[in-house]
Amino acid sequence: MQKYYDDFSRLPLEKMAQKITDMTFSYQETQVPKKHYKDLLSKTVEEVIAGSVEVNLIDTYYKTIEQLLKQNPKWLFQALLCFDTKIKPSTMSNAEYQALELTWAKYQENKKSKMVDERWIDCFEAIKKNGAMYEFRKEEE
């Protein structure tokens, strides 16, 4: 039995973009211009792969940080704090070391604290929920 995809995959770019626009419209009358799909379908394989390479690299960083967090959350927190304050551990003063230790203690007191500033988490969640265009328009107001 022949499927819609079998015919669809043989369509020229222009007609394929139009069919996708029509399919998108059939979902809650969502309107996306044909040009959008045409541009996406015209991307080179390298452009599409670049995005997945980036995600794979992020995954590698994530797994590394996850492992560091499991091994010693205190040292990971303190290393990140050093980055943010531009302090090199190899040249830190006694006062800076004391500040690192006491900041970790304060951080531990607040069990709900996250290593990433709450405003960046809120920004991420807002964009994920509402889309980038909504979030950036909101900032312009």
Side-chain angles (χ1 to χ4, degrees):
M1 177 179 275
Q2 186 149 347
K3 306 263 185 197
Y4 181 71
Y5 172 79
D6 298 325
D7 290 335
F8 178 81
S9 64
R10 290 186 283 250
L11 291 173
L13 178 62
E14 190 75 26
K15 289 184 178 181
M16 192 178 281
Q18 183 59 54
K19 291 285 186 188
I20 297 172
T21 297
D22 295 342
M23 286 187 283
T24 305
F25 183 80
S26 70
Y27 178 76
Q28 299 179 355
E29 297 182 0
T30 304
Q31 294 189 10
V32 178
K34 177 174 69 171
K35 182 180 178 344
H36 170 73
Y37 293 117
K38 188 175 176 183
D39 291 346
L40 287 176
L41 293 169
S42 297
K43 284 187 175 186
T44 64
V45 174
E46 290 80 11
E47 289 175 293
V48 175
I49 290 174
S52 66
V53 168
E54 205 170 286
V55 169
N56 286 334
L57 288 172
I58 292 169
D59 186 51
T60 301
Y61 278 63
Y62 175 87
K63 287 176 182 173
T64 301
I65 292 170
E66 182 180 44
Q67 193 62 34
L68 292 169
L69 186 59
K70 285 178 186 175
Q71 287 176 356
N72 196 320
K74 175 185 175 183
W75 291 347
L76 175 60
F77 174 85
Q78 289 177 326
L80 293 172
L81 187 57
C82 284
F83 270 111
D84 281 350
T85 58
K86 296 178 178 45
I87 293 171
K88 291 186 178 164
S90 61
T91 60
M92 92 171 51
S93 68
N94 287 342
E96 290 168 332
Y97 179 73
Q98 180 185 43
L100 268 181
E101 288 293 315
L102 294 176
T103 302
W104 170 253
K106 287 265 188 207
Y107 175 78
Q108 283 295 99
E109 287 174 10
N110 187 349
K111 294 294 182 190
K112 293 181 181 179
S113 289
K114 295 184 173 53
M115 285 196 185
V116 175
D117 188 310
E118 281 294 326
R119 67 183 165 175
W120 299 121
I121 294 171
D122 292 345
C123 177
F124 173 85
E125 292 297 336
I127 292 170
K128 185 175 82 172
K129 180 182 176 190
N130 303 312
M133 298 307 291
Y134 170 81
E135 189 61 24
F136 295 127
R137 273 192 223 120
K138 189 175 99 182
E139 286 178 4
E140 290 173 358
E141 294 174 353

